[in-house]
Amino acid sequence: MNENSNNKPKINVPKPNLSWLYVVIAMVFAFLWFSSDEGSANKEITYTEFKDMVSKGYASKIIAYDNNTVNMYIKPEHIADVFKSDANKVGRSPSVNVQVGSMEALDKFLDEEQSQGHFTGSISYEKKNDYFGVIFWNLAPFLFLIALYFFAIRRMGGGSGPGGGTNVFSVGKSKAQLFEKGANRVTFKDVAGQAAAKQEVEEIVEFLKQPQKYTELGGKIPKGALLVGPPGTGKTLLAKAVAGEADVPFFSISGSDFVEMFVGVGASRVRDLFRQAKEKAPCIIFIDEIDAVGRARGKNPNMGGNDERENTLNQLLTEMDGFGSNSGVIILAATNRVDILDKALLRAGRFDRQIYVDLPDLNERKEVFGVHLKPLKLDKNVDVDLLARQTPGFSGADIANVCNEAALIAARHSKASVDKDDFLAAIDRIVGGLEKKTKVMTAAEKRTIALHEAGHATISWFLEHANPLIKVTIVPRGRALGAAWYLPEERQISTKEQMLDEMCATLGGRAAEDIFIGHISTGAMNDLERVTKQAYGMIAYAGMSDKLPNLCYYSNDEYSFSKPYSEHTAELIDQEVQNMINEQYARAKALLLEHKEGHNQLAQLLIEKEVIFAEDVEKIFGKRPWTSRSEEIMASEEASKQKEEKQEKEETPVSTSENEAKDPEVKELPEPTEDKTTLNN
């Protein structure tokens, strides 16, 4: 604790000098004091007492104010009669105050007293002065200017948050948020899935925990690691888990926080950040969305540039390669645009390694669902395996959104728990959009949509490599008038045959319209778009063409305006794409004509029920003869688990009998924990 407190950076924030304020207050009080007749006594009296004192000749001077108040000064010889005290104690000019009814009555009374000789003093009429108002309106402009000054300084300094202050010179301070040791600690237990990424960052944790273990052998602690992956995969959470596991301070900042409108501010903030980090070492600096400041320099000068951003990047490069290699400061950064980063930033010695945080696979999605399902009140029919299979391509953030949406849907229907249908509705809501049951359709339009969707379902059922069907609906959802839901196969590699089967199933809707209605519609526009992109990808990128075999025309240059092939090759690509799509379209038509009766039954069932499931399709066409890839993987995992459990049961009695032979008293003792762990592993 003492070491931590000594290493804490001391930031001297300039404080405003308030001495002038005290001087102003003193001057105001002095003015009020000297304007009040040197502190003489003053007394409130009634109008009757006032008339009596004037008649007795006590008044030396009378001052009448415009607010019907009268101030009467007492003659020195009569001070004791009025104040019952010595003249030295009440001041040199004691007076009394009285409220009169009208100035006309006062004038008449004083004229009578003067004529009788009772009052021989002077009479004056004055305007009542409001000292507070005078002072306020005189000081108000100065107070406004002072407030405006402080407001401008705080705005230029970034406010009272991190990196802000009350001085303009704090604009160059780092805006990094500091998480101290033990504060909001996140560990690897909070990160579900991402086993490969966690394995790589565990080394960084070891570097921070035991740096001497590596430095004694002459090794150098890596300076940085770049977390690369799609949005929502948990890059920021993984960085926080690294800091939590290592139990070290954690500086978090966004790449955009370095860039400001002032010249040189970004570079200044980079310097200040690394200065604080070195004082807190060992620690971690995490820069989120580093592509905001780490874009490649001078990629295309003709399209404009940002000198301030480049200066910031130059300072970052200098700092990363400028401090000692064993200082204990490790930089983690996250981005989903690694292709646009500057090459100098990615070289060894700065970001020594790139850690890919990919989208979770089937088993990892089960783990993520397990984390987000814990706070929910679940029904018994919720199948985590089915949810994991039905959400391919979903990130951790998407899965969290699914769980939250399912809970909202269950609450909307006043359910006691969240069941399977709520989760399926949540997935449909996120993927396809909100149901629009109020959309009006004619019987002909409804039949067209039913035939279209039944065409997709029929062809996918009879193709080996097509995605397994989940359900088919003709209820409008989002911008779609109908949809067929599948369990996409998460293949590591895709063959030409698999891609052709998917293309054929996608064209099934258009083919069904052409055969059974006699005309085509715009409902297949999305299908045609997907098929066209897939065909061009297969021919131009994957080399899956007879006339252009084993050729890839992919170009990674985003600033290139020319195609990497000739016009003749472009014509060949267009011709091959057209031939491929026409072949699969003819194949789809042939399959539909072969299973014409089943297709019509399926379409009629869709018109009646609006939503049908794979069980309904199975009743019409029979059981699908092929097993999906996901089912095959899950069956293999289940078989391996059963095998391990069987081995454990077989090995446990053997070990027990051996122990019994050695020592009869071991019967009464429980099994050692170490043996269980070994068997499970």
Side-chain angles (χ1 to χ4, degrees):
M1 293 297 293
N2 294 333
E3 187 179 352
N4 187 27
S5 61
N6 294 332
N7 292 331
K8 189 174 182 179
K10 297 180 180 179
I11 302 174
N12 296 322
V13 180
K15 296 181 179 180
N17 189 2
L18 300 179
S19 302
W20 59 271
L21 185 60
Y22 301 136
V23 174
V24 171
I25 294 172
M27 291 174 64
V28 171
F29 278 106
F31 173 77
L32 294 175
W33 174 262
F34 288 110
S35 64
S36 61
D37 292 328
E38 302 178 356
S40 298
N42 189 272
K43 180 180 178 182
E44 293 287 337
I45 61 174
T46 62
Y47 188 64
T48 305
E49 292 175 335
F50 168 75
K51 291 172 67 176
D52 185 57
M53 291 181 184
V54 174
S55 300
K56 291 181 179 180
Y58 291 177
S60 64
K61 183 173 68 172
I62 295 177
I63 302 174
Y65 296 101
D66 56 351
N67 60 348
N68 289 351
T69 60
V70 176
N71 188 253
M72 181 178 69
Y73 290 89
I74 308 299
K75 293 179 179 180
E77 60 269 21
H78 297 291
I79 291 176
D81 298 330
V82 177
F83 293 96
K84 310 298 181 187
S85 180
D86 190 12
N88 296 326
K89 295 181 180 180
V90 296
R92 292 180 294 177
S93 302
S95 61
V96 293
N97 293 331
V98 63
Q99 188 77 28
V100 299
S102 66
M103 289 296 170
E104 291 81 3
L106 178 65
D107 293 339
K108 186 177 179 180
F109 169 73
L110 293 177
D111 289 341
E112 292 177 357
E113 294 297 323
Q114 282 182 332
S115 62
Q116 296 176 10
H118 296 159
F119 174 63
T120 58
S122 61
I123 304 173
S124 61
Y125 296 89
E126 297 179 3
K127 188 176 180 180
K128 188 70 174 179
N129 291 323
D130 184 10
Y131 294 109
F132 178 79
V134 172
I135 293 171
F136 176 78
W137 288 111
N138 281 295
L139 292 180
F142 298 100
L143 295 175
F144 175 75
L145 292 175
I146 292 168
L148 185 64
Y149 170 77
F150 279 105
F151 176 76
I153 293 300
R154 289 178 67 86
R155 293 290 295 175
M156 293 176 70
S160 58
T166 58
N167 193 286
V168 69
F169 299 104
S170 64
V171 70
K173 299 293 182 182
S174 170
K175 290 187 175 183
Q177 188 177 1
L178 174 61
F179 298 91
E180 291 284 357
K181 290 183 179 180
N184 299 324
R185 189 172 178 183
V186 180
T187 62
F188 287 144
K189 294 180 180 178
D190 301 314
V191 184
Q194 306 297 346
K198 284 195 287 187
Q199 186 178 358
E200 288 197 58
V201 297
E202 279 177 359
E203 289 188 14
I204 297 175
V205 175
E206 289 294 323
F207 290 145
L208 292 169
K209 283 185 176 179
Q210 300 177 343
Q212 68 280 356
K213 177 181 176 183
Y214 302 92
T215 55
E216 287 176 356
L217 298 175
K220 295 181 180 179
I221 298 175
K223 292 202 175 105
L226 186 64
L227 303 175
V228 183
T233 52
K235 299 184 292 293
T236 305
L237 184 63
L238 192 61
K240 287 186 178 180
V242 172
E245 288 286 342
D247 197 21
V248 295
F250 181 77
F251 291 88
S252 178
I253 191 171
S254 174
S256 59
D257 289 336
F258 292 113
V259 183
E260 279 283 355
M261 61 178 287
F262 302 108
V263 177
V265 169
S268 177
R269 287 178 179 174
V270 171
R271 287 191 295 269
D272 186 66
L273 173 62
F274 279 86
R275 179 188 60 79
Q276 295 183 42
K278 282 186 271 189
E279 293 177 355
K280 287 280 196 181
C283 67
I284 291 175
I285 296 175
F286 177 63
I287 305 174
D288 201 7
E289 305 296 342
I290 196 174
D291 51 276
V293 70
R295 277 180 175 265
R297 297 164 292 179
K299 192 80 174 182
N300 192 359
N302 297 327
M303 297 185 67
N306 190 337
D307 293 335
E308 174 61 16
R309 181 183 56 78
E310 291 189 0
N311 290 338
T312 306
L313 176 59
N314 292 335
Q315 186 63 45
L316 180 62
L317 297 174
T318 304
E319 291 290 342
M320 289 186 68
D321 212 19
F323 56 84
S325 57
N326 297 324
S327 62
V329 179
I330 292 180
I331 303 125
L332 295 180
T335 182
N336 48 24
R337 296 292 310 277
V338 68
D339 55 311
I340 64 172
L341 293 181
D342 197 278
K343 300 299 182 185
L345 197 63
L346 301 176
R347 76 159 175 84
R350 290 194 174 110
F351 285 113
D352 298 285
R353 55 186 66 184
Q354 294 185 20
I355 301 173
Y356 290 92
V357 187
D358 294 328
L359 293 170
D361 57 15
L362 180 63
N363 295 323
E364 289 176 342
R365 286 199 301 274
K366 288 170 63 176
E367 295 180 20
V368 177
F369 266 111
V371 171
H372 294 293
L373 290 177
K374 284 182 181 178
L376 301 183
K377 194 174 180 181
L378 299 177
D379 192 77
K380 294 180 180 179
N381 65 353
V382 176
D383 187 5
V384 182
D385 293 335
L386 177 64
L387 295 178
R389 290 175 59 199
Q390 203 168 350
T391 51
F394 278 45
S395 64
D398 295 330
I399 293 174
N401 190 24
V402 168
C403 296
N404 184 63
E405 192 71 31
L408 296 179
I409 292 172
R412 193 180 303 145
H413 294 90
S414 303
K415 295 183 179 180
S417 59
V418 188
D419 56 19
K420 174 184 174 184
D421 295 335
D422 298 325
F423 282 99
L424 296 180
I427 296 172
D428 296 348
R429 167 73 176 86
I430 293 171
V431 175
L434 192 65
E435 283 189 352
K436 297 180 180 178
K437 293 185 177 181
T438 57
K439 186 172 286 188
V440 180
M441 290 188 295
T442 63
E445 290 173 342
K446 197 171 183 180
R447 182 173 178 270
T448 301
I449 297 170
L451 289 170
H452 182 104
E453 300 301 334
H456 288 304
T458 302
I459 294 180
S460 64
W461 194 264
F462 291 102
L463 292 179
E464 180 180 359
H465 302 296
N467 295 322
L469 183 70
I470 288 289
K471 71 175 184 180
V472 187
T473 177
I474 59 173
V475 178
R477 187 181 288 274
R479 298 180 62 183
L481 298 176
W485 304 91
Y486 302 92
L487 287 178
E489 303 284 5
E490 296 178 83
R491 305 185 183 100
Q492 301 299 323
I493 57 172
S494 295
T495 64
K496 184 179 180 181
E497 290 74 17
Q498 292 169 346
M499 299 177 75
L500 290 176
D501 282 358
E502 292 177 1
M503 190 181 297
C504 182
T506 308
L507 291 169
R510 167 60 66 88
E513 292 179 11
D514 195 3
I515 295 174
F516 301 110
I517 303 176
H519 56 79
I520 56 179
S521 67
T522 58
M525 188 169 63
N526 181 256
D527 299 333
L528 300 179
E529 181 184 356
R530 289 163 53 198
V531 166
T532 305
K533 287 182 178 179
Q534 187 175 2
Y536 271 104
M538 292 173 63
I539 293 170
Y541 298 155
M544 296 180 179
S545 171
D546 296 332
K547 294 183 179 180
L548 297 170
N550 306 325
L551 292 174
C552 178
Y553 297 106
Y554 177 74
S555 177
N556 196 27
D557 190 3
E558 62 178 315
Y559 297 103
S560 178
F561 296 99
S562 60
K563 297 179 180 179
Y565 45 82
S566 64
E567 292 296 328
H568 178 67
T569 304
E571 293 178 1
L572 282 177
I573 293 174
D574 294 340
Q575 188 63 41
E576 286 291 285
V577 167
Q578 189 175 0
N579 294 337
M580 181 179 288
I581 294 175
N582 289 339
E583 288 175 4
Q584 298 308 313
Y585 186 67
R587 184 186 176 194
K589 279 186 165 182
L591 279 172
L592 288 175
L593 290 173
E594 184 181 349
H595 303 280
K596 179 179 179 181
E597 294 182 1
H599 172 269
N600 292 334
Q601 293 179 22
L602 193 61
Q604 187 61 34
L605 191 64
L606 263 175
I607 295 172
E608 295 173 359
K609 299 175 83 174
E610 290 189 341
V611 179
I612 61 174
F613 295 89
E615 295 80 8
D616 302 314
V617 183
E618 189 174 335
K619 290 179 183 178
I620 297 175
F621 295 117
K623 188 174 179 62
R624 196 165 184 257
W626 301 285
T627 305
S628 67
R629 180 178 179 273
S630 302
E631 292 175 348
E632 186 179 344
I633 292 174
M634 294 177 70
S636 175
E637 290 180 355
E638 188 66 26
S640 62
K641 286 182 181 179
Q642 292 178 358
K643 187 177 179 181
E644 289 179 1
E645 291 176 357
K646 186 178 179 182
Q647 289 179 355
E648 184 179 356
K649 290 179 180 179
E650 292 177 354
E651 292 177 6
T652 303
V654 173
S655 60
T656 305
S657 61
E658 290 177 356
N659 292 334
E660 288 177 355
K662 293 178 182 178
D663 191 354
E665 295 180 358
V666 178
K667 290 181 181 180
E668 302 177 1
L669 298 176
E671 285 186 349
T673 309
E674 295 180 0
D675 292 346
K676 287 185 179 180
T677 306
T678 305
L679 292 173
N680 291 332
N681 293 334

